[in-house]
Amino acid sequence: MWIKVSVKTRPEALAALEAAFLDYASGTVQEGTKEEPVIAAYFPATLAAGVEAELEARIEGIRAAGLDPGRGLLEKELIKEENWSTEWKKYYHPLSVGTRFLICPSWELRTEEGRFTLALDPGQAFGTGYHPTTQLCLELLENTEPGTFAYDLGTGSGILAIALAKLGADVVAFEADPVAIDAAKENAARNGTKIRLRQVDLLSWSPPERGAPLAVANLTADLFVSLAPKLPSYVLPGGKLIAGGINCQRQAEVEAAFRKAGFAIQDVLRRQEWVCLVGGRS
């Protein structure tokens, strides 16, 4: 069984609520109207109760920060297993990203000349490819040269590592969540790609001795600030870090942490309320 958890809010709090949902869900869907948007996500029934309490606390935190989430009441809807794929099919269809990728759910697989197909279904691991944070990272990866050695920090569903592998890169992907590790393995096999997966907690694990010319991470602002001192260990001097998943309101804070760690901000891509930073290691 799955539970659909949704909240009707006001436009000014939409980005903050979406960020809160993405801390617990692999993706969100937006419903409602422009004046009264609704953010929703799906959770296994066994997890929904705990997630509900966390989200209620986050909503109150958003209100305390001065943003008006409206009534901010969570609503729940039981989705039976036999209706699961039908429910997701309402929202997920083939999507072209940048100039080189085509994201397809399994029920609408197709190819397009000049693009690599990324076959991914919505699941419990972050990174379906339909969120601006993932799309910005994919766009910044599309010019990766074949044979490039790269790290994916916090791979989630594996989408960024799989995209790099399709481009011919040699990828090592790190992830703490065993559910995400399993999802990444399944997605890599579905796409016919080979990625090396390592189950580690980036915050407590000592980084590898070998840096890479490229590292990509689609995380959160809080994680980037905490990880910043360790990030240079993943990137060779002259290499670059692509960092997505940062809400615009936290951009300056993350940039400051990166600069302190020895990265120069080389590029910033923005979409909706999200930014992706490119940091060059000096």
Side-chain angles (χ1 to χ4, degrees):
M1 293 287 189
W2 292 78
I3 302 290
K4 177 182 179 182
V5 180
S6 61
V7 59
K8 182 185 292 185
T9 186
R10 298 189 187 280
E12 68 180 84
L14 181 60
L17 272 171
E18 185 176 29
F21 269 78
L22 285 173
D23 281 345
Y24 306 98
S26 62
T28 62
V29 294
Q30 187 173 332
E31 303 169 326
T33 65
K34 185 176 181 180
E35 293 74 23
E36 290 189 314
V38 174
I39 285 289
Y42 296 80
F43 302 92
T46 52
L47 299 178
V51 168
E52 181 184 3
E54 294 284 347
L55 286 173
E56 286 177 342
R58 294 290 292 276
I59 290 170
E60 290 311 306
I62 290 169
R63 193 187 305 278
L67 293 175
D68 180 11
R71 294 182 66 194
L73 295 179
L74 290 178
E75 296 185 1
K76 296 180 294 182
E77 177 185 353
L78 181 66
I79 307 295
K80 293 183 178 179
E81 200 72 33
E82 58 266 28
N83 298 329
W84 173 240
S85 61
T86 302
E87 188 70 19
W88 277 112
K89 287 177 184 179
K90 296 178 185 177
Y91 307 105
Y92 289 92
H93 305 282
L95 174 70
S96 297
V97 177
T99 62
R100 305 201 67 183
F101 298 112
L102 177 67
I103 300 169
C104 292
S106 61
W107 54 85
E108 284 190 61
L109 281 178
R110 71 179 193 215
T111 60
E112 188 174 308
E113 187 176 355
R115 292 183 181 271
F116 293 102
T117 296
L118 304 177
L120 289 150
D121 283 352
Q124 297 180 48
F126 178 82
T128 60
Y130 293 81
H131 192 271
T133 59
T134 313
Q135 293 170 24
L136 290 173
C137 289
L138 286 170
E139 290 172 18
L140 286 166
L141 290 175
E142 61 185 23
N143 293 322
T144 302
E145 295 289 337
T148 299
F149 178 58
Y151 288 129
D152 180 9
L153 311 181
T155 196
S157 68
I159 182 171
L160 300 180
I162 291 166
L164 281 165
K166 294 245 180 180
L167 293 168
D170 176 17
V171 191
V172 177
F174 302 100
E175 175 59 53
D177 185 355
V179 174
I181 287 283
D182 289 342
K185 287 178 180 177
E186 292 175 8
N187 285 327
R190 180 183 290 121
N191 283 274
T193 53
K194 181 180 179 181
I195 58 177
R196 286 176 282 166
L197 288 161
R198 304 286 186 267
Q199 186 175 343
V200 297
D201 184 335
L202 295 171
L203 288 172
S204 59
W205 184 65
S206 297
E209 294 181 3
R210 178 189 179 189
L214 173 65
V216 61
N218 192 23
L219 303 171
T220 65
D222 286 335
L223 270 174
F224 278 126
V225 171
S226 298
L227 281 172
K230 292 186 175 184
L231 291 177
S233 298
Y234 294 95
V235 184
L236 289 171
K240 67 179 180 180
L241 168 69
I242 295 173
I246 305 162
N247 188 274
C248 291
Q249 296 175 348
R250 305 287 300 278
Q251 178 182 345
E253 181 183 357
V254 176
E255 286 188 5
F258 282 2
R259 289 193 182 97
K260 185 176 180 180
F263 289 93
I265 306 302
Q266 298 177 338
D267 199 4
V268 179
L269 269 64
R270 176 171 178 168
R271 185 158 302 149
Q272 297 175 23
E273 297 301 317
W274 304 91
V275 294
C276 190
L277 305 177
V278 178
R281 188 188 166 196
S282 56

